[in-house]
Amino acid sequence: MSAGANQPEFSPNTFTMDGIEIPFKDGQTLMDAALAAGVYIPHLCHHPGLTPHGSCKLCMVDIGSGRASSCTTPAVAGQQVSNNTPALNEARRTLTQMLFIEGNHLCPSCEKTGNCTLQAMAYHLGMLEGHFPQFFQRREVDASHSTVMLDRDRCILCELCVRASREVDGKNVFAVAGRGITARLIVNSPSGKLADSDLEIDDLAAHICPVGAILIKAHAYEIPIGWRTFDLRQIDEIGPEKVIQARVGHTDD
Amino acid sequence: MTKIRIATTSLAGCFGCHTSFLDMDERLVELLEHVEFDRSPLNDIKHCGPCDIGLVEGGLCNADNVHVLREVRANCRVLVAVGACAINGGIPAMRNHFGLGACLEESYLNGIGVEDPQIPDDAELPLLLDKVHPIHEVVRVDYYLPGCPPSPEGFLSVLGDLLEGREPVLPKKLLHYD
Amino acid sequence: MNSVGRTERTEPLNVTVAGACAQSRHLLEVLCILQQQLLHLSDQTVCAVSEHLGLPVGQVESVVEFYSFLYKTPRGKYHILFSNCPSCGFRQDGRNLLHVLCDRLHVVAGETRADGLVSVDETSCIGMCDQGAALLVNGIPITRLDSVKIMRVAERVETEVALSDWPAEWFRVEDNIRRSGLLLKNGFAAGAGIRAALARGFDATLAEITRSGLRGRGGAGFSAGIKWALCREAQGTAHYVLCNADEGEPGTFKDRVLLHSHADAVFEGMTLCAAVIGAKQGFLYLRGEYRYLLPQLQTMLTHRREVGLLGNHILGQRGFDFDIEIVVGAGAYICGEESALIESLEGKRGVPRNRPPFPVTHGYLGQPTVVNNVETFAAAAHISLRSSAWFRAAGTEKSMGSKILSVSGDCSAPGIYEYPFGVTMRQVLDDCGARDVQAVQIGGPSGTLIGSAEFHRTLGFEDLPTGGSFMVFGHERDLLAMIVNFAHFFAHESCGFCTPCRVGTTLLKNGLDRIANGHGTQYDVDEMKRLGILVKQRSHCGLGQTAANSVLDCLHRFPHVFEQRLAQDSHEPCFDLDAALEEARRITHRDDAAAHLD
Ligand SMILES: Cc1cc2nc3c(=O)[nH]c(=O)nc-3n(C[C@H](O)[C@H](O)[C@H](O)COP(=O)(O)O)c2cc1C
Ligand code: SF4
Ligand code: SF4
Ligand code: SF4
Ligand code: FES
């Protein structure tokens, strides 16, 4: 799944994003091209190398008078794309607030705090509060597995774990069931429990979760709060995928 | 020069935000040249008079929290929700994962070390809400100062802006939820 | 995780499951059969199905939880679902028929009675809006409900009368064709369209369809001819034809009538499409609410095979092989979206795909696929028989031909009306006997809300496009209640894939409830607008992109319906404070003044 293995033919195509000219290779999405050019587009459900999903909508951009998700939209030469605009960032902040209030994101009690992409996104967008009334949904916790735990309260349904398991680990540990606001992450095992799945600690699926929904047990506080990834840097300085890659030794390019 | 009058209160919180406020140490002395305190656990004044700013720590877990919050809101021109609990329920809201009945039974009937098991029903006690709620779900909140707790610099930043008559804008490096 | 199978059944579970799996190769159909037999799909059933079909448990589970008509906990032997469409609705003359039935049967809506006999709930519009209030009992519609009939239903449930012994008249569904045009007036002999195409040649037939200007009748209005041509050109190991008979838009029931009384034209249109694009296999995706039409449609397919209109060498033409299979949905409006429909057909949750690629190149099983609406296929068959010129003679420049409308609501003659495109709303209202009209919802909840000042506007792609729903709201109607109903519909039907729609439709629903209940303030109204625009602009598919239309339209055209409900206080709590103390009052047996909040 590494992009280096199969470099598409170079063609002198470019589009502009917020006035900056960005080159792209045939078949690249706006997101791929922008990240390759070092331009940050906010994203939560995207991870280079995995099939683009297009569900979180944080990566929304405007193309002329049209709108698109940059992680799923192929780049086209000459396009004029707006990305880092006050209006788009405000809409992104509202979406981030939606993700916070739909789940139960009590950061002070969460092991992921400081390393969490959702939280870092909220910082990046200057979100001070969830704004909407909390849904306080009750979701199941699965602590059955010896080394990995699943706290659905914090799941944002990005399906990164679903795709990582299928596309990289060659397994099929996770799926999303149900619909609408009751949609939930399920484990593909007869009991529905992680312990009965073939998830292993070295699987990418065990590490890719951008939030504190899939956690590795017994390592939570090795790095103290205040010294974690996003305590030291902003999310737009470091793509979240780099964090995961650093952690599991997956490299890209 | 008349001083800016501030009320503070702690609802369903841990007083951590208040403690952090006091952590501004010597800067407090300077602050006190510009502000004075109305109702606050810091001076033990029990009821609120007209104020410029209200700082509310903690969410709403019982009927008393609601009464206090309403009193503070009614008397303060500007209300600031301070800390994770006021903003989204925080740690106390972890009980929302369970029913109120289950929580009370675990605490007063079945829990380890419970003697004379009975759920308190004294009319003196404030009755619990079925869930812990953030304060903006009950009153209008003007500004938010997140953190668990917010740093002293966070308090100084927001109060500094308000004292100067500016919209508070929390610098990014002071924005954290933990 | 618990749940045991029904005790009455003695057959071992995996025998039952094997039986269901033998009846269909489609996961959804297998699950529907088992739902009917076992009254729910327990964890054991899910595991057994996954083993029998060789599918991951997670996939079976995810499908079970997606569709409204599949249940994880047992439903009653009599499972009754009231259509909650605002047009026909079960709230009648101040009486809530659902409550009447629940009271009579001592059952709580949404729950199964302790003896397992009956369960009562509501469901999204079942497409019987011209037949009065309606319900589904074990999937079969009963129409023209009133409280007398509800009492009789209750009696039969209580005394366990078999459905086959209930009065047949109750189950009658009228066509109610009030005005016939191009498609409904002209008869159509089975095979006539195919014969004409064979005589003309398939290339020429495609040209004829393209020249007719026929645009999709299901919503987006894409040219049928161009779609077929694109699909024909697309490379693939097989090509497929899908007929979208999911008709889930509340207030729409014209496909029901076409399938009931004009199915030959529909099947023939599919067959023509197959001939043009080179498909061997077609599917008709029938919404679960129309399952009662299935036996009749199967009989027609059998007959068409017998007379050489389906199967190998259709009408003796070597290599012209095509057959049609009917797949039935299970209660999910989103499965009307073409890529979600394809996912559903593939045995998955009905979640819309990312586009590009489009179904014409990567559709069913990743192969080139045409998806068209029922009415589009019927029109294509007529065009093949009668020519493009005949079709173009009706309608307007950008909207050729006719449109079949499903008229419901406050009018004296609800039913099916076929007009040439370009007809004014005023004309339709006059014809259906609607007087004193406050507003019309065109194209269903996802469409446009129009007030009386604009009844001169015309139906067609130039002005007001519509899939066919035409809901009339008289002056007595509480418009806000309609908007609230729609908001509930979208929140219930959102597939949950993308953030703006999954969370946004629920926020809209909650906010509108709050306003309707008199607790909203101007702030809430402004929030509805801000949220509505976000959901509309940023959602992944047409469901989310249209979910806020009705609230935005209503804010724009009827702002007073919001304003007159607003609370005086500048800020009302987001939840009922006193109700939030109820549990504690109960546990502590307190009811003193301090045990209440206002
Ligand atoms: C939420 C949603 C529901 C839809 N439901 C239907 C439907 O019930 N029937 C239908 O024909 N098209 C429906 N459509 C439109 C289809 O996606 C597709 O455009 C149509 O079936 C194409 O056929 P046509 O070109 O003949 O209209 C729906 C679209 C959306 C977004
Ligand atoms: S997952 Fe992230 S946002 Fe959610 S509680 Fe944990 S740290 Fe906070
Ligand atoms: S568990 Fe984590 S990775 Fe998986 S869907 Fe939820 S948020 Fe995404
Ligand atoms: S807009 Fe709604 S229905 Fe469409 S993909 Fe998003 S969540 Fe699903
Ligand atoms: S990153 Fe594009 S939609 Fe999530």
Side-chain angles (χ1 to χ4, degrees):
Chain A
M1 280 281 150
S2 111
N6 202 352
Q7 292 278 351
E9 283 287 294
F10 178 79
S11 61
N13 288 334
T14 62
F15 62 91
T16 63
M17 184 170 278
D18 300 329
I20 299 167
E21 197 160 325
I22 295 185
F24 70 93
K25 298 164 196 148
D26 280 336
Q28 264 188 327
T29 59
L30 295 170
M31 175 73 79
D32 293 337
L35 289 180
V39 174
Y40 177 71
I41 305 176
H43 56 280
L44 287 173
C45 72
H46 181 70
H47 184 86
L50 297 180
T51 307
H53 200 236
S55 65
C56 73
K57 300 299 175 203
L58 263 290
C59 72
M60 56 171 136
V61 291
D62 290 337
I63 306 175
S65 59
R67 297 170 247 278
S69 307
S70 50
C71 67
T72 57
T73 304
V76 173
Q79 269 171 333
Q80 304 208 337
V81 183
S82 308
N83 165 39
N84 191 12
T85 68
L88 281 166
N89 285 334
E90 200 209 301
R92 288 172 180 143
R93 183 163 63 234
T94 305
L95 289 185
T96 308
Q97 288 169 326
M98 287 179 172
L99 290 168
F100 266 82
I101 59 99
E102 128 182 90
N104 295 300
H105 294 277
L106 308 170
C107 299
S109 70
C110 178
E111 295 178 12
K112 191 80 169 189
T113 192
N115 288 325
C116 169
T117 312
L118 177 67
Q119 189 188 58
M121 182 67 72
Y123 295 168
H124 174 67
L125 297 168
M127 178 188 127
L128 299 178
E129 88 299 0
H131 184 79
F132 302 107
Q134 289 278 346
F135 288 179
F136 289 130
Q137 301 199 72
R138 285 196 188 133
R139 296 170 170 177
E140 211 185 325
V141 176
D142 179 349
S144 64
H145 195 277
S146 57
T147 49
V148 181
M149 87 155 240
L150 171 60
D151 185 342
R152 292 180 175 86
D153 269 348
R154 304 172 190 135
C155 172
I156 56 169
L157 296 168
C158 67
E159 297 191 40
L160 280 171
C161 58
V162 176
R163 285 172 282 154
S165 183
R166 292 180 192 171
E167 298 173 14
V168 177
D169 304 333
K171 303 180 183 179
N172 183 14
V173 174
F174 297 104
V176 170
R179 81 177 187 216
I181 201 66
T182 61
R184 63 188 190 106
L185 188 74
I186 59 167
V187 174
N188 179 30
S189 70
S191 64
K193 295 285 184 210
L194 265 186
D196 294 329
S197 74
D198 49 1
L199 182 73
E200 290 165 291
I201 186 140
D202 292 331
D203 292 351
L204 181 60
H207 298 268
I208 201 168
C209 182
V211 293
I214 299 176
L215 293 164
I216 306 299
K217 289 182 175 175
H219 291 278
Y221 292 97
E222 280 166 1
I223 303 175
I225 291 170
W227 294 96
R228 298 183 173 191
T229 309
F230 299 113
D231 294 328
L232 306 177
R233 290 193 169 109
Q234 290 282 315
I235 193 172
D236 58 348
E237 295 170 46
I238 175 169
E241 45 283 338
K242 295 279 187 309
V243 178
I244 296 149
Q245 281 154 5
R247 210 170 303 141
V248 274
H250 277 257
T251 45
D252 211 81
D253 294 54
Chain B
M1 193 187 87
T2 55
K3 289 185 175 180
I4 297 284
R5 216 170 155 74
I6 297 183
T8 80
T9 187
S10 178
L11 306 174
C14 68
F15 280 95
C17 295
H18 276 82
T19 309
S20 182
F21 181 89
L22 293 178
D23 248 0
M24 65 178 76
D25 299 335
E26 72 282 359
R27 287 167 290 183
L28 196 55
V29 178
E30 195 195 329
L31 183 68
L32 283 172
E33 287 172 13
H34 306 286
V35 308
E36 60 192 3
F37 284 91
D38 195 287
R39 174 196 173 124
S40 171
L42 305 176
N43 54 21
D44 217 18
I45 299 177
K46 299 292 188 204
H47 287 285
C48 201
C51 285
D52 299 294
I53 300 170
L55 302 178
V56 179
E57 163 191 329
L60 301 166
C61 79
N62 63 30
D64 187 55
N65 293 157
V66 175
H67 293 305
V68 172
L69 176 65
R70 283 176 163 168
E71 179 186 303
V72 173
R73 172 71 271 185
N75 284 289
C76 295
R77 267 192 317 110
V78 170
L79 192 77
V80 186
V82 172
C85 304
I87 291 174
N88 76 354
I91 301 292
M94 290 176 78
R95 83 148 148 100
N96 296 352
H97 192 81
F98 308 93
L100 177 60
C103 292
L104 289 171
E105 281 167 23
E106 181 64 22
S107 308
Y108 294 107
L109 302 182
N110 311 324
I112 299 165
V114 171
E115 286 171 29
D116 183 19
Q118 64 177 43
I119 292 174
D121 57 1
D122 195 310
E124 294 272 291
L125 293 173
L127 218 48
L128 293 175
L129 298 167
D130 57 0
K131 289 199 172 81
V132 176
H133 289 267
I135 64 169
H136 71 83
E137 295 187 11
V138 172
V139 299
R140 183 171 53 79
V141 171
D142 300 297
Y143 301 109
Y144 297 86
L145 175 56
C148 187
S151 60
E153 291 74 23
F155 281 102
L156 284 169
S157 165
V158 170
L159 289 176
D161 284 343
L162 287 173
L163 292 182
E164 310 244 323
R166 287 191 303 260
E167 285 274 306
V169 178
L170 198 64
K172 271 210 176 142
K173 65 177 188 335
L174 294 182
L175 176 56
H176 64 102
Y177 302 158
D178 50 17
Chain C
M1 304 225 163
N2 38 45
S3 48
V4 261
R6 302 275 306 162
T7 41
E8 293 115 78
R9 296 191 65 87
T10 47
E11 192 178 75
L13 180 64
N14 55 30
V15 176
T16 314
V17 169
C21 294
Q23 284 182 57
S24 175
R25 63 197 175 100
H26 294 280
L27 173 61
L28 196 52
E29 189 59 22
V30 168
L31 294 173
C32 286
I33 295 168
L34 290 168
Q35 171 68 42
Q36 254 171 13
Q37 292 179 354
L38 305 170
L39 306 182
H40 76 307
L41 301 162
S42 66
D43 294 335
Q44 290 92 322
T45 309
V46 166
C47 289
V49 170
S50 108
E51 254 166 56
H52 273 275
L53 296 179
L55 294 172
V57 203
Q59 183 179 346
V60 180
E61 175 72 20
S62 71
V63 167
V64 169
E65 286 187 25
F66 189 83
Y67 295 91
S68 290
F69 295 166
L70 303 176
Y71 299 89
K72 292 287 292 174
T73 53
R75 297 300 103 180
K77 270 203 267 186
Y78 295 88
H79 181 45
I80 295 173
L81 292 171
F82 282 84
S83 171
N84 64 16
C85 161
S87 253
C88 48
F90 50 79
R91 288 175 192 84
Q92 236 182 35
D93 312 324
R95 307 193 67 166
N96 182 325
L97 297 179
L98 184 147
H99 288 170
V100 172
L101 184 66
C102 285
D103 287 350
R104 183 71 186 67
L105 287 169
H106 306 290
V107 57
V108 179
E111 290 175 21
T112 303
R113 208 168 77 173
D115 63 357
L117 182 68
V118 60
S119 46
V120 180
D121 207 344
E122 51 184 277
T123 189
S124 300
C125 174
I126 64 169
M128 296 290 155
C129 323
D130 56 333
Q131 321 269 318
L135 57 75
L136 295 171
V137 52
N138 295 349
I140 308 171
I142 299 185
T143 58
R144 296 174 297 273
L145 294 174
D146 54 28
S147 36
V148 176
K149 202 183 268 182
I150 290 293
M151 289 303 170
R152 300 224 177 107
V153 166
E155 266 166 45
R156 280 165 179 79
V157 168
E158 209 62 274
T159 53
E160 301 198 38
V161 177
L163 277 189
S164 50
D165 294 331
W166 291 23
E169 199 273 329
W170 288 4
F171 300 104
R172 208 180 67 234
V173 178
E174 305 280 0
D175 273 356
N176 289 331
I177 297 176
R178 314 282 184 189
R179 190 180 192 283
S180 304
L182 285 188
L183 304 187
L184 299 176
K185 185 155 35 179
N186 293 298
F188 189 90
I194 301 179
R195 286 198 179 82
L198 283 172
R200 193 191 291 116
F202 294 145
D203 289 351
T205 300
L206 173 59
E208 200 64 16
I209 301 285
T210 310
R211 207 173 312 131
S212 74
L214 173 63
R215 299 173 65 166
R217 273 20 182 177
F222 193 78
S223 156
I226 294 178
K227 190 184 278 185
W228 294 15
L230 287 172
C231 186
R232 178 160 100 150
E233 282 155 26
Q235 299 294 314
T237 50
H239 287 57
Y240 295 96
V241 179
L242 300 189
C243 177
N244 187 342
D246 199 51
E247 188 156 69
E249 188 73 39
T252 319
F253 45 87
K254 47 109 189 160
D255 293 344
R256 178 198 89 211
V257 173
L258 283 172
L259 291 171
H260 182 257
S261 300
H262 300 267
D264 259 318
V266 179
F267 291 141
E268 198 129 337
M270 292 176 70
T271 311
L272 288 168
C273 176
V276 167
I277 67 170
K280 306 275 174 239
Q281 178 67 54
F283 297 94
L284 183 129
Y285 189 94
L286 184 68
R287 72 184 305 219
E289 292 80 349
Y290 292 169
R291 183 180 279 277
Y292 76 101
L293 290 171
L294 187 59
Q296 177 198 337
L297 291 171
Q298 298 286 22
T299 307
M300 288 196 72
L301 288 179
T302 308
H303 179 254
R304 288 181 72 85
R305 285 181 200 114
E306 283 164 5
V307 299
L309 293 172
L310 282 178
N312 290 340
H313 316 310
I314 289 173
L315 289 180
Q317 184 81 5
R318 288 213 70 76
F320 185 5
D321 306 338
F322 179 65
D323 212 326
I324 295 173
E325 191 179 340
I326 301 174
V327 180
V328 188
Y333 166 64
I334 189 57
C335 290
E337 197 281 338
E338 57 187 9
S339 64
L341 184 151
I342 291 169
E343 291 281 300
S344 176
L345 201 58
E346 291 180 1
K348 298 185 255 170
R349 297 161 77 225
V351 172
R353 294 176 175 173
N354 280 307
R355 291 177 294 182
F358 291 89
V360 282
T361 58
H362 295 77
Y364 180 58
L365 303 179
Q367 300 305 317
T369 303
V370 163
V371 185
N372 274 132
N373 175 252
V374 171
E375 187 182 345
T376 313
F377 281 124
H382 278 271
I383 292 165
S384 172
L385 174 64
R386 294 174 218 281
S387 85
S388 58
W390 165 83
F391 192 73
R392 296 174 69 95
T396 64
E397 194 193 331
K398 290 199 177 115
S399 316
M400 313 288 179
S402 65
K403 183 75 194 97
I404 304 180
L405 301 179
S406 319
V407 178
S408 66
D410 304 323
C411 60
S412 59
I416 295 293
Y417 292 75
E418 186 182 10
Y419 290 98
F421 268 120
V423 65
T424 63
M425 294 178 64
R426 165 77 53 214
Q427 176 79 49
V428 180
L429 289 168
D430 286 347
D431 291 351
C432 71
R435 261 159 282 285
D436 206 17
V437 179
Q438 180 181 188
V440 177
Q441 184 74 32
I442 305 266
S446 71
T448 320
L449 178 68
I450 301 282
S452 53
E454 296 177 73
F455 287 169
H456 58 274
R457 293 182 64 176
T458 59
L459 304 187
F461 298 104
E462 292 93 337
D463 187 8
L464 290 168
T466 171
S469 172
F470 192 101
M471 290 184 194
V472 184
F473 300 143
H475 272 288
E476 314 289 80
R477 287 260 179 177
D478 174 0
L479 268 194
L480 189 55
M482 301 299 105
I483 305 305
V484 168
N485 178 295
F486 296 161
H488 279 250
F489 169 77
F490 287 113
H492 182 251
E493 298 296 343
S494 164
C495 84
F497 173 75
C498 68
T499 314
C501 173
R502 180 179 69 243
V503 187
T505 53
T506 292
L507 287 171
L508 283 170
K509 178 189 82 159
N510 293 347
L512 287 167
D513 276 347
R514 184 171 149 83
I515 294 169
N517 293 333
H519 298 297
T521 61
Q522 186 58 42
Y523 170 84
D524 294 285
V525 175
D526 296 341
E527 278 285 282
M528 292 298 97
K529 189 162 183 179
R530 187 175 73 94
L531 262 175
I533 291 170
L534 181 73
V535 173
K536 184 183 173 79
Q537 293 186 339
R538 303 298 171 180
S539 287
H540 178 66
C541 86
L543 189 151
Q545 287 158 12
T546 60
N549 281 358
S550 60
V551 57
L552 293 174
D553 279 353
C554 196
L555 279 168
H556 175 60
R557 296 200 170 89
F558 302 91
H560 59 275
V561 311
F562 293 88
E563 286 154 13
Q564 66 202 18
R565 294 290 176 93
L566 298 187
Q568 296 310 309
D569 271 356
S570 63
H571 191 101
E572 289 257 326
C574 294
F575 59 99
D576 183 339
L577 283 163
D578 196 53
L581 290 175
E582 177 54 35
E583 200 177 345
R585 279 194 296 266
R586 193 170 40 73
I587 295 170
T588 58
H589 312 289
R590 278 178 56 185
D591 200 22
D592 51 290
H596 288 275
L597 277 170
D598 46 32

